[in-house]
Every structure is written in structure tokens, then in C-alpha cells.
Amino acid sequence: MSGVSNPYRYQYETVAASQTAQVLGGTGAVGDYLHRLIINGVTAASSSVTILDGSTSIVIQTAGATVPIGVVSIEVGAVSASGAWKVTTGAGCTVIAVGIFTA
């Protein structure tokens, strides 16, 4: 559709296995929007995923025998209240974070 702007300008950022507090976006900021996390778990015992809103930690997935192997999509739908969104991953998974992040 020519001439129509797209209000949904989602970006994505990959987070490798064993990353600690990787900032989403160039600098990240209060007001950044985290839409979805796509988790690719390879090893259940080490597939933990935690997000941080500034310094507030939110556990998304705890590693263990019951964690599914393969791809899982988790809707977050949250706006950062205290700083850049950050993602920490265990050794057994990678993440694609989708949202609107400050460059």
C-alpha cells in the first residue's frame, strides 16, 4: 500500500548462548518495547532465560528437565520502566528478541 506508513516497526536482536545482560538495541532506554522472545533450546538442563528491565530481573524460563527442546515463542508485550531491556541466556539456548529498541 503506497503512501501508508507502518506503525509497527519492530526490530529484532539475536542473543547468543551464555550471554549476560545483553542490552537490546544500541543503548536501550526507558520506554523501549519488548514484544516477543523466540527461544531456541538445545539443552534443557541449561536453557535458562532471564530479562532485565534496567536492574529488575524477570525469569522467563528456568533450566531443567521439563524445559522443551526446540523453538518456543513467548509474548512479553511490556514497556521498559527503569532502563534498557537486557537478556541473559544459559549455555543451552539462544534468543531472538523482537520489539522497539533505542539505537
Side-chain angles (χ1 to χ4, degrees), residues 3-90:
V4 176
S5 65
N6 180 1
Y8 304 105
R9 298 192 188 281
Y10 291 137
Q11 303 154 297
Y12 72 90
E13 185 159 337
T14 59
V15 182
S18 300
Q19 296 301 301
T20 301
Q22 178 177 319
V23 173
L24 300 180
T27 58
V30 171
D32 282 2
Y33 177 68
L34 181 55
H35 178 64
R36 172 182 298 143
L37 294 174
I38 303 167
I39 303 168
N40 184 16
V42 179
T43 307
S46 58
S47 288
S48 60
V49 176
T50 302
I51 58 175
L52 293 98
D53 175 359
S55 61
T56 302
S57 179
I58 304 163
V59 175
I60 299 295
Q61 180 170 285
T62 303
T66 59
V67 171
I69 298 299
V71 178
V72 176
S73 180
I74 298 176
E75 299 296 314
V76 179
V79 174
S80 175
S82 64
W85 284 113
K86 301 172 192 162
V87 178
T88 296
T89 55

